[in-house]
Amino acid sequence: GKTKLGDVAPAAGAASPNKTVEGVMGGCAISALLATLGAWVQRWPYWYITGPIHGIYLGVLGLLGDLTASMIKRDADIKDFGDLIPEHGGIMDRVDSYIFAAPYSFVMCKYLIPLMTKWKLAGLNGASAGLVGLMSVPLVWFFSLRQILNMRERQHSRRARMEEDSL
């Protein structure tokens, strides 16, 4: 990819400067595709909605876990978490994406999917669909927050230019 993640999210760029927006989008797309396939195979209620949402969450949470581990390494001024696997940065670099994705997946598979299934079988399609709708709230929140942060950045840039012009 050509667009560095740091151009869009400076904190992410500081943690891991080689990540790209295209890489994140591709990872989330593949994750959504595979999660949709898994949801269909496992016969999740509303698999065509729950699968992609679940996959996107896993992609984003995996990225957050990776960025978190990268920040820890940068703060500690170390290159790798170990040398058990040469040229791979240690075991932690192999499993850092599970930091946030595993707890979410546990709650999703242990509680939310069975609850949606139970409600759907009981004829409470509205309640089950409502829970699916609630799953999408963080996605809407994330994209809304991104827009707000972009607006603030543009305002800050405009203000900085105005201050420069007044000098």
Side-chain angles (χ1 to χ4, degrees), residues 83-98:
D83 57 2
L84 185 62
I85 307 172
E87 303 297 320
H88 283 272
I91 295 294
M92 183 63 175
D93 282 334
R94 299 297 85 188
V95 298
D96 55 12
S97 62
Y98 298 119

PDB file of all heavy atoms in Angstrom, residues 83-98:
ATOM      1  N   ASP A  83      13.897 -13.970  21.021  1.00  0.00           N
ATOM      2  CA  ASP A  83      14.592 -14.521  19.857  1.00  0.00           C
ATOM      3  C   ASP A  83      14.335 -16.017  19.684  1.00  0.00           C
ATOM      4  O   ASP A  83      15.100 -16.709  19.046  1.00  0.00           O
ATOM      5  CB  ASP A  83      16.094 -14.251  19.966  1.00  0.00           C
ATOM      6  CG  ASP A  83      16.715 -14.809  21.224  1.00  0.00           C
ATOM      7  OD1 ASP A  83      15.988 -15.450  22.018  1.00  0.00           O
ATOM      8  OD2 ASP A  83      17.919 -14.611  21.412  1.00  0.00           O
ATOM      9  N   LEU A  84      13.232 -16.494  20.254  1.00  0.00           N
ATOM     10  CA  LEU A  84      12.892 -17.903  20.124  1.00  0.00           C
ATOM     11  C   LEU A  84      12.655 -18.269  18.656  1.00  0.00           C
ATOM     12  O   LEU A  84      13.056 -19.328  18.195  1.00  0.00           O
ATOM     13  CB  LEU A  84      11.652 -18.230  20.961  1.00  0.00           C
ATOM     14  CG  LEU A  84      11.243 -19.691  21.027  1.00  0.00           C
ATOM     15  CD1 LEU A  84      12.356 -20.515  21.668  1.00  0.00           C
ATOM     16  CD2 LEU A  84       9.964 -19.851  21.824  1.00  0.00           C
ATOM     17  N   ILE A  85      12.016 -17.360  17.927  1.00  0.00           N
ATOM     18  CA  ILE A  85      11.791 -17.559  16.494  1.00  0.00           C
ATOM     19  C   ILE A  85      12.643 -16.520  15.777  1.00  0.00           C
ATOM     20  O   ILE A  85      12.275 -15.348  15.726  1.00  0.00           O
ATOM     21  CB  ILE A  85      10.305 -17.373  16.126  1.00  0.00           C
ATOM     22  CG1 ILE A  85       9.406 -18.256  16.991  1.00  0.00           C
ATOM     23  CG2 ILE A  85      10.077 -17.657  14.652  1.00  0.00           C
ATOM     24  CD1 ILE A  85       7.925 -17.980  16.799  1.00  0.00           C
ATOM     25  N   PRO A  86      13.788 -16.914  15.208  1.00  0.00           N
ATOM     26  CA  PRO A  86      14.663 -15.934  14.561  1.00  0.00           C
ATOM     27  C   PRO A  86      13.960 -15.168  13.438  1.00  0.00           C
ATOM     28  O   PRO A  86      13.144 -15.722  12.705  1.00  0.00           O
ATOM     29  CB  PRO A  86      15.808 -16.794  13.993  1.00  0.00           C
ATOM     30  CG  PRO A  86      15.752 -18.061  14.776  1.00  0.00           C
ATOM     31  CD  PRO A  86      14.325 -18.255  15.166  1.00  0.00           C
ATOM     32  N   GLU A  87      14.261 -13.880  13.326  1.00  0.00           N
ATOM     33  CA  GLU A  87      13.723 -12.991  12.300  1.00  0.00           C
ATOM     34  C   GLU A  87      12.219 -12.760  12.407  1.00  0.00           C
ATOM     35  O   GLU A  87      11.610 -12.237  11.498  1.00  0.00           O
ATOM     36  CB  GLU A  87      14.048 -13.520  10.887  1.00  0.00           C
ATOM     37  CG  GLU A  87      15.518 -13.725  10.620  1.00  0.00           C
ATOM     38  CD  GLU A  87      16.315 -12.427  10.678  1.00  0.00           C
ATOM     39  OE1 GLU A  87      15.812 -11.407  10.197  1.00  0.00           O
ATOM     40  OE2 GLU A  87      17.428 -12.464  11.211  1.00  0.00           O
ATOM     41  N   HIS A  88      11.591 -13.160  13.510  1.00  0.00           N
ATOM     42  CA  HIS A  88      10.150 -12.974  13.662  1.00  0.00           C
ATOM     43  C   HIS A  88       9.779 -12.143  14.876  1.00  0.00           C
ATOM     44  O   HIS A  88       8.606 -12.008  15.191  1.00  0.00           O
ATOM     45  CB  HIS A  88       9.418 -14.318  13.730  1.00  0.00           C
ATOM     46  CG  HIS A  88       9.281 -14.972  12.402  1.00  0.00           C
ATOM     47  ND1 HIS A  88       8.228 -14.719  11.561  1.00  0.00           N
ATOM     48  CD2 HIS A  88      10.077 -15.837  11.746  1.00  0.00           C
ATOM     49  CE1 HIS A  88       8.378 -15.411  10.455  1.00  0.00           C
ATOM     50  NE2 HIS A  88       9.486 -16.101  10.538  1.00  0.00           N
ATOM     51  N   GLY A  89      10.734 -11.608  15.590  1.00  0.00           N
ATOM     52  CA  GLY A  89      10.417 -10.715  16.689  1.00  0.00           C
ATOM     53  C   GLY A  89       9.946 -11.383  17.951  1.00  0.00           C
ATOM     54  O   GLY A  89       9.456 -10.729  18.847  1.00  0.00           O
ATOM     55  N   GLY A  90      10.029 -12.662  18.052  1.00  0.00           N
ATOM     56  CA  GLY A  90       9.627 -13.358  19.278  1.00  0.00           C
ATOM     57  C   GLY A  90       8.180 -13.812  19.238  1.00  0.00           C
ATOM     58  O   GLY A  90       7.411 -13.495  18.337  1.00  0.00           O
ATOM     59  N   ILE A  91       7.831 -14.569  20.270  1.00  0.00           N
ATOM     60  CA  ILE A  91       6.485 -15.147  20.359  1.00  0.00           C
ATOM     61  C   ILE A  91       5.415 -14.056  20.440  1.00  0.00           C
ATOM     62  O   ILE A  91       4.362 -14.161  19.821  1.00  0.00           O
ATOM     63  CB  ILE A  91       6.390 -16.083  21.587  1.00  0.00           C
ATOM     64  CG1 ILE A  91       7.318 -17.285  21.419  1.00  0.00           C
ATOM     65  CG2 ILE A  91       4.963 -16.528  21.832  1.00  0.00           C
ATOM     66  CD1 ILE A  91       6.946 -18.211  20.296  1.00  0.00           C
ATOM     67  N   MET A  92       5.679 -13.006  21.211  1.00  0.00           N
ATOM     68  CA  MET A  92       4.671 -11.955  21.374  1.00  0.00           C
ATOM     69  C   MET A  92       4.268 -11.343  20.031  1.00  0.00           C
ATOM     70  O   MET A  92       3.104 -11.020  19.831  1.00  0.00           O
ATOM     71  CB  MET A  92       5.202 -10.876  22.328  1.00  0.00           C
ATOM     72  CG  MET A  92       4.216  -9.793  22.626  1.00  0.00           C
ATOM     73  SD  MET A  92       2.778 -10.444  23.468  1.00  0.00           S
ATOM     74  CE  MET A  92       1.913  -8.934  23.799  1.00  0.00           C
ATOM     75  N   ASP A  93       5.214 -11.201  19.125  1.00  0.00           N
ATOM     76  CA  ASP A  93       4.869 -10.655  17.810  1.00  0.00           C
ATOM     77  C   ASP A  93       3.987 -11.605  17.006  1.00  0.00           C
ATOM     78  O   ASP A  93       3.326 -11.188  16.060  1.00  0.00           O
ATOM     79  CB  ASP A  93       6.128 -10.326  17.004  1.00  0.00           C
ATOM     80  CG  ASP A  93       6.766  -9.032  17.467  1.00  0.00           C
ATOM     81  OD1 ASP A  93       6.045  -8.186  18.005  1.00  0.00           O
ATOM     82  OD2 ASP A  93       7.986  -8.876  17.297  1.00  0.00           O
ATOM     83  N   ARG A  94       3.974 -12.868  17.340  1.00  0.00           N
ATOM     84  CA  ARG A  94       3.108 -13.829  16.654  1.00  0.00           C
ATOM     85  C   ARG A  94       1.695 -13.814  17.228  1.00  0.00           C
ATOM     86  O   ARG A  94       0.760 -14.244  16.560  1.00  0.00           O
ATOM     87  CB  ARG A  94       3.663 -15.263  16.765  1.00  0.00           C
ATOM     88  CG  ARG A  94       5.037 -15.496  16.159  1.00  0.00           C
ATOM     89  CD  ARG A  94       5.072 -15.265  14.669  1.00  0.00           C
ATOM     90  NE  ARG A  94       5.279 -13.839  14.445  1.00  0.00           N
ATOM     91  CZ  ARG A  94       5.228 -13.204  13.297  1.00  0.00           C
ATOM     92  NH1 ARG A  94       4.996 -13.840  12.203  1.00  0.00           N
ATOM     93  NH2 ARG A  94       5.400 -11.922  13.189  1.00  0.00           N
ATOM     94  N   VAL A  95       1.530 -13.386  18.472  1.00  0.00           N
ATOM     95  CA  VAL A  95       0.217 -13.488  19.119  1.00  0.00           C
ATOM     96  C   VAL A  95      -0.335 -12.143  19.594  1.00  0.00           C
ATOM     97  O   VAL A  95      -1.372 -12.117  20.247  1.00  0.00           O
ATOM     98  CB  VAL A  95       0.258 -14.481  20.303  1.00  0.00           C
ATOM     99  CG1 VAL A  95       0.608 -15.879  19.825  1.00  0.00           C
ATOM    100  CG2 VAL A  95       1.211 -14.022  21.386  1.00  0.00           C
ATOM    101  N   ASP A  96       0.325 -11.036  19.251  1.00  0.00           N
ATOM    102  CA  ASP A  96      -0.120  -9.745  19.768  1.00  0.00           C
ATOM    103  C   ASP A  96      -1.519  -9.349  19.304  1.00  0.00           C
ATOM    104  O   ASP A  96      -2.228  -8.629  19.990  1.00  0.00           O
ATOM    105  CB  ASP A  96       0.885  -8.643  19.457  1.00  0.00           C
ATOM    106  CG  ASP A  96       1.220  -8.518  17.985  1.00  0.00           C
ATOM    107  OD1 ASP A  96       0.514  -9.123  17.149  1.00  0.00           O
ATOM    108  OD2 ASP A  96       2.203  -7.821  17.672  1.00  0.00           O
ATOM    109  N   SER A  97      -1.942  -9.851  18.166  1.00  0.00           N
ATOM    110  CA  SER A  97      -3.279  -9.498  17.681  1.00  0.00           C
ATOM    111  C   SER A  97      -4.382 -10.107  18.547  1.00  0.00           C
ATOM    112  O   SER A  97      -5.525  -9.647  18.504  1.00  0.00           O
ATOM    113  CB  SER A  97      -3.460  -9.925  16.233  1.00  0.00           C
ATOM    114  OG  SER A  97      -3.338 -11.305  16.107  1.00  0.00           O
ATOM    115  N   TYR A  98      -4.045 -11.099  19.344  1.00  0.00           N
ATOM    116  CA  TYR A  98      -5.058 -11.724  20.210  1.00  0.00           C
ATOM    117  C   TYR A  98      -5.324 -10.933  21.485  1.00  0.00           C
ATOM    118  O   TYR A  98      -6.270 -11.235  22.201  1.00  0.00           O
ATOM    119  CB  TYR A  98      -4.630 -13.143  20.603  1.00  0.00           C
ATOM    120  CG  TYR A  98      -4.498 -14.077  19.431  1.00  0.00           C
ATOM    121  CD1 TYR A  98      -3.285 -14.674  19.136  1.00  0.00           C
ATOM    122  CD2 TYR A  98      -5.579 -14.354  18.627  1.00  0.00           C
ATOM    123  CE1 TYR A  98      -3.160 -15.529  18.057  1.00  0.00           C
ATOM    124  CE2 TYR A  98      -5.468 -15.209  17.543  1.00  0.00           C
ATOM    125  CZ  TYR A  98      -4.248 -15.791  17.262  1.00  0.00           C
ATOM    126  OH  TYR A  98      -4.135 -16.622  16.199  1.00  0.00           O
TER     127      TYR A  98
END
